[in-house]
Amino acid sequence: MKKNIFLKATIVAGVIIANTFPLLAAEAVKEPIMKNSYTVGEKIDDTVITTQVKMALMKDSSTATFGTDVTTTNGVVVLKGSVQNDAEKVMNTKVAAAVQGVKSVQNEMLVTKEQTSIVGETFEDSAITTKVKITLNSHASTKALKTSVTTNDLVVTISGKANNKGEIEIVTKVVKDVKGIKSVINNMTIEK
């Protein structure tokens, strides 16, 4: 019994000394122990946030592009890669910022094509395309559908698969409600 008490006391003393020594050493040099670093828990949190941001970007059809590099440090997400226009860059930022645990987003993505003319598409067309994608992805009746959206001279063209004619009609109505478009061409087909 005396051996058990002595062993426990020795272990406790060892733990106290081991935990106190770094504090004494830091006090001796007058510097904080963890200067410019963070804990293992924070590192794990950052890894989880990075993974969740990557998944959110891939899940969202308006940002589902490969090649977006995501890093997180202390809850600050940095996005790198390339996008076709400023609207896509803004969407990447919004999707990343919506992930739980993200404190802020630094978007360092490069716009690879000119904003004024993207293969016949104007910047205004690009903005309309992004608005339509956001609208379709946030509407309860259309967010599960896989659609492709293009805009040319403010005319929106939609393609993709639907389960029935009703879904196609809902997509058309939802898109027509987006401000700034001239008309909607719905080329969606019914999946059999």
Side-chain angles (χ1 to χ4, degrees):
M1 174 127 167
K2 287 184 180 182
K3 287 183 181 179
N4 272 346
I5 293 173
F6 179 74
L7 182 60
K8 288 178 183 177
T10 305
I11 291 171
V12 169
V15 169
I16 291 171
I17 291 169
N19 287 329
T20 306
F21 182 74
L23 295 172
L24 295 173
E27 184 63 32
V29 293
K30 302 283 187 206
E31 289 185 21
I33 297 171
M34 300 183 77
K35 186 176 182 182
N36 296 327
S37 64
Y38 46 92
T39 67
V40 173
E42 289 171 332
K43 178 67 175 171
I44 291 170
D45 290 345
D46 286 344
T47 303
V48 169
I49 290 170
T50 297
T51 302
Q52 289 177 339
V53 168
K54 286 181 179 181
M55 289 173 48
L57 290 170
M58 289 192 327
K59 184 179 176 184
D60 191 297
S61 65
S62 62
T63 60
T65 57
F66 296 102
T68 302
D69 182 36
V70 180
T71 56
T72 307
T73 305
N74 296 326
V76 178
V77 173
V78 178
L79 302 175
K80 294 184 179 179
S82 60
V83 290
Q84 292 184 355
N85 54 55
D86 281 331
E88 287 181 13
K89 186 174 180 177
V90 169
M91 277 306 303
N92 276 278
T93 302
K94 285 183 180 181
V95 169
V99 172
Q100 185 176 0
V102 173
K103 293 178 183 174
S104 66
V105 178
Q106 295 176 357
N107 192 331
E108 299 174 5
M109 299 184 83
L110 301 174
V111 177
T112 56
K113 294 185 179 183
E114 290 183 4
Q115 296 177 8
T116 55
S117 178
I118 303 173
V119 191
E121 182 179 279
T122 66
F123 180 69
E124 192 173 15
D125 284 342
S126 175
I128 293 290
T129 298
T130 302
K131 275 197 221 176
V132 169
K133 287 179 179 181
I134 292 169
T135 303
L136 289 172
N137 286 329
S138 61
H139 193 279
S141 298
T142 59
K143 66 182 175 184
L145 299 173
K146 295 193 185 246
T147 56
S148 176
V149 178
T150 58
T151 307
N152 192 7
D153 292 330
L154 304 178
V155 176
V156 176
T157 304
I158 305 161
S159 59
K161 304 272 184 202
N163 293 316
N164 55 54
K165 188 176 179 179
E167 287 181 345
I168 294 172
E169 291 171 356
I170 289 172
V171 168
T172 302
K173 184 190 178 324
V174 168
V175 173
K176 282 183 177 180
D177 289 341
V178 173
K179 291 182 181 177
I181 65 172
K182 288 181 183 176
S183 64
V184 177
I185 301 169
N186 192 334
N187 293 330
M188 292 180 71
T189 58
I190 297 173
E191 194 169 39
K192 294 181 180 183

